[in-house]
Amino acid sequence: QVHLVESGGGLVQPGGSLRLSCSGSRSTSDYYAVGWFRQAPGKEREGVSCISTAGAYTYYAESVKGRFTISRDDANNMVYLQMRGLKSEDTAVYYCATGRFVGVQDLCQMRRRATWGQGTQVTVSS
């Protein structure tokens, strides 16, 4: 299993930007797809954005498409989520997760087993 640690969360004003980072304990280029998920109070966890091995394919939830960008830096075992145009409804605990030999759609729609980080809080408020 892979150990994942999220960072970069915090308080940001509506319309602002934030970049989340996910650090892995092993190379994310080793056939691991990686994704970002979020869970708001009282709501189910949802897939936000996922990226395939080597970054060839990406998936975005409709609610964040055009505002969020996922990327990976395999040399440093890092995956990022650049969030722009943040809205209050983006407030949630954000988690990263990874699965080996898993496609981005299967990962983001939680159809396969994955290893999860502990989460980082993102709060969008004026």
Side-chain angles (χ1 to χ4, degrees):
Q1 294 286 76
V2 179
H3 182 238
L4 301 174
V5 178
E6 302 95 335
S7 62
L11 176 65
V12 63
Q13 294 183 334
S17 299
L18 204 60
R19 189 174 80 159
L20 305 183
S21 299
C22 177
S23 177
S25 60
R26 63 181 296 167
S27 175
T28 53
S29 68
D30 191 18
Y31 310 109
Y32 284 90
V34 181
W36 286 97
F37 302 76
R38 66 187 181 188
Q39 188 166 23
K43 295 185 177 181
E44 298 292 326
R45 187 174 297 186
E46 63 174 338
V48 175
S49 182
C50 294
I51 189 165
S52 70
T53 301
Y57 302 96
T58 57
Y59 169 94
Y60 294 94
E62 192 66 30
S63 60
V64 307
K65 195 171 297 182
R67 299 189 297 120
F68 292 8
T69 303
I70 191 169
S71 61
R72 63 192 298 163
D73 178 1
D74 290 333
N76 294 295
N77 296 336
M78 298 290 292
V79 177
Y80 304 99
L81 184 67
Q82 179 67 56
M83 304 184 293
R84 298 165 50 250
L86 284 163
K87 307 173 181 179
S88 60
E89 49 262 50
D90 294 318
T91 296
V93 177
Y94 283 71
Y95 302 86
C96 63
T98 187
R100 199 178 189 188
F101 303 112
V102 176
V104 290
Q105 189 166 331
D106 284 342
L107 179 62
C108 256
Q109 296 181 0
M110 295 182 284
R111 297 173 180 171
R112 298 289 186 269
R113 291 182 179 179
T115 299
W116 298 83
Q118 294 183 335
T120 185
Q121 176 71 47
V122 172
T123 302
V124 184
S125 177
S126 60

